[in-house]
Amino acid sequence: MTANPIQRAERQESEAEAESQLKPMHAEAAEVEAEVNGAVEATEAAEAAEAATDELIGIFYVENRRRKQNIKIVVKLCPEGVYLRRETAQNDHINEQLIRIDDIIGSSCGQRLKKRARGGLTSCKSTRNQQQEQHQHPEAEGTAAAGEQQGKEADNSAYLYIYAYLKKEKPLRRVQTLRILRFRTSDDYAENLATARLWHRTIREHKQRTGAAGQVARAAGKKLLILLNPKSGSGKGRELFQKQVAPLLREAEVQYDLQITTHPNYAQEFVRARKDLMERYSGIVVASGDGLFYEVLNGLMGRMDWRRACRELPLGIIPCGSGNGLAKSIAHHCNEPYEPKPILHATLICVAGRATPMDVVRVELTHRDRHYVMYSFLSIGWGLIADIDIESERLRSIGAQRFTLWAIRRLITLRCYRGKLYYLPAKSSTEQPAAAPAAAPATAPAAALSTTETPQEQANSQADPQPAAFSEFKDLPDDEDVQLRGDNQSDLDQFADALSLDRSIYRQNADSWHSAVSRRTAYYSIGGHSSRSNRSRLNVSQRIEAANAEFNQLVPVSKIPGLQMPLSAADGWLHEEGEFVMVHAAYTTHLASDCYFAPESRLNDGLIYLVIIRAGVGRSQLLNFLLGMHNGTHLPMEQDPHIQVMPVRAFRIEPSGSHGILTIDGERVDYGPIQAEVFPGLINVMTTTGQ
C-alpha cells in the first residue's frame, strides 16, 4: 500500500475500556469501542489539528472480558479508508479489515450517545435491565444513581462514530457497520474533542477528494431538495421517510429541505418556478414513485435556464411508490443491491455524491388539432402492456396481483391495433436533419409544426386545461415589437433570461421570432445606458448576435422531421404497416422493480429499445413472454416473425383508430400519433459510480 508520510495524532498507547469485541452486531452491524490514553501536549494537538493530514494513526485497545485481556487495535485513517489491524498477545495471529472510504457515508464526534445508535451500541445498558435491577435491589438504587452521575462527570472522553455500509458479494448486499473510537488523551474534554474532530474532518476531506461533486457542493453549504409524495407507499410515504431515510441522512451529515407535495403537478410547478434552485441546492431527490420523477424532469425542462439546471442538479430517486423502475435500473447500473431494503439502498446511492449522465427522450404527440411535447425517462407503451397497466387500476386494492389477473384476462380476449410504425435503426447514423419535401402535403396545416420545442414554449401553455406536463405551440410577438431601451432599466430586466426559440417553421412571417429563416434563437438584454450613435447600435447588435449564436449551439437541435412532416426512407427510416399486439419502447433496464424489460439498455447509451409484437403470435408464446419479463428471458434469441426487439434512435407510431391506450412513463396520455427521439446524457442522475 502506498501512503504519505505518517502524521500521528496520538503516539502513546493507552488502556481500553470497551464492552464488546470486534465482531458483527445486531442488524449486521459491528462495533469497536476503544479509548486512547496517554499524554499528548496541547501544542502538538493544536499543530496536528491545523495541519492538512492525509494519514492518521492511533493505537487502541479492546477489552476482552471473557479472556480478561486487552486486544491491541491499530487504526489508520488514510485516503483509501480506515484500516483496523488486530494483533494477539502471541503476535502470531493478525486480523485486518479495510473500510473503504466509499463505504463510509459519514461520521460524528462528541460525547457518548445516550441512546442506542443506528447499528447498535450494545455497551449501553438498556432501561429495562436497569428497572429490573432496581426492583430486585431497591436499597442500591440511590447508590447506583450516584455512581452513574459520578462516572458521567468523570468521563472526559470524546467519541468518534464512523458510519459505514460495507458492500458484500454473493449475495449482493450492504452490511451496516459502526465503529466507535474513544479518545481520552487528556483530562481536558476540549483537547480530546479536538483530536476527535481532527479525525472527523479528515474523513470528510478524504470523501471530498474521491471526486464526488455532490460532496463538494454540500461542503459549500448547499442542501438537497427532497420532494416527498405522502400518498406514495399505500399512503405511508411520510412514515417511510421518517423511519428509513431521515436517520441515514443524519448519519451522512446531509442537510436537506423537505417539500411535501399537496396536489398533482406540484413538483413540476415548484421546480420550474423556484428561482434560486441552483444557488441553494446541490441536487433533487424524489421520494416517491416514477410519476413524481416525471414531474421533476418536465419541471426542469420548463425552466428558462434548463441547460444549467440539468447540468448542475443531479436527480435521485428513493422508491417509496408503486412504480419503481428507475430506482431498480439505477441500482442495476451501479451493481448495488435493491432488495430486501430498497429505500435504504436507494438512499445510500443518493448520499454518495456522484452522478452519471442519463438519456432523456423527447416525445411529440398530437390529439385532434393540438400538439404537445413532453420529456420521458422510462418507456412509451402502445398495446398489451399499456392496456394491462392502465386497465388494472380498477383492481388496485388487491396490490401487485392486479397485473397478473388482468394479464390473464387480456390474453383470453387478445386485442390487436392497426397502425403505421416508423423507426430509425441505431446503425443508421443520420447526422444531418431529415430534409422536408419540396411541397407540403395537401392535408398539412398552413402553419407547419416545429421539429423542436423549447421549455419556454411549454410555459406558454400553463393556462391550458390540458395536463401541465404537456406543452402547446402558440404564437409569439414579432421581432419588431421588441426594443432595447437603455434609458429604462425595467424594460431591460424583462429580457434578463434567454428565450429559447429554435429554428422553427411554425410561423411564416419572416420577422417572427419563430420564423423559419430567422437566425435568432435567443434574445438578451444589455445592461447600462445605450448610446444613440450608429456605431454603438452596431456594437449592441453584434453582441446580441454573438450571444444568440452561442446559445443556438447549446440547444439540442432535433435531427428528425416534425410529427406532421413525412419521413423519408433515404434518411434511413424503416416503415411497416399492419396489426400489432404491442409496441413498447424502453430506455432503462427495468420498467418496474420486478420487470427486467431491456437487459442491454444502459443509462447513457443513446438508444431506445423497441419491442414489437405483431398480430398472429400464439397465446402460449405471449404467455412465456410475459412470464419471462421477470428475469429478462422474454426476448427471443433467434429471429422471430412475431416478436422482435431492435435498438433505435427515434420512432413514430400512427394509430389508425381513435380508441386505445398510450402510456408515457406509466401514465396515460391522449391517444393519437406519437413520435420520440432520444437525447443522450441530457440529465444527470445520482449513482455510486459516477461518470
Side-chain angles (χ1 to χ4, degrees), residues 380-386 415-417 421 579-585 597 611-615 617 622 625-626 629 634 642-644 653:
I380 297 174
W382 177 46
L384 179 63
I385 294 181
R415 296 174 182 169
C416 292
Y417 297 90
L421 175 64
E579 291 188 342
F580 303 92
V581 174
M582 182 190 79
V583 176
H584 210 94
F597 191 78
V611 178
I612 305 171
I613 300 181
R614 301 177 179 89
V617 62
L622 205 54
F625 177 89
L626 295 176
M629 288 195 304
H634 57 294
H642 298 110
I643 302 178
Q644 184 179 5
I653 298 175

Side-chain angles (χ1 to χ4, degrees), residues 593-628:
S593 59
D594 58 348
C595 182
Y596 192 19
F597 191 78
E600 300 297 326
S601 179
R602 299 295 181 267
L603 292 180
N604 189 28
D605 57 5
L607 296 176
I608 301 173
Y609 286 85
L610 197 64
V611 178
I612 305 171
I613 300 181
R614 301 177 179 89
V617 62
R619 284 180 170 81
S620 60
Q621 185 179 6
L622 205 54
L623 177 61
N624 292 330
F625 177 89
L626 295 176
L627 295 176

Side-chain angles (χ1 to χ4, degrees), residues 263 514 533 657:
H263 57 270
H514 262 37
S533 65

Side-chain angles (χ1 to χ4, degrees), residues 200-222:
H200 172 66
R201 184 169 61 253
T202 305
I203 292 175
R204 184 182 298 176
E205 292 174 355
H206 288 340
K207 289 190 65 65
Q208 294 177 6
R209 293 174 188 173
T210 58
Q215 296 285 349
V216 177
R218 293 168 200 165
K222 293 186 177 181

Side-chain angles (χ1 to χ4, degrees), residues 40-52:
V40 178
E41 297 294 337
T43 55
E44 295 180 358
E47 291 176 359
E50 294 175 359

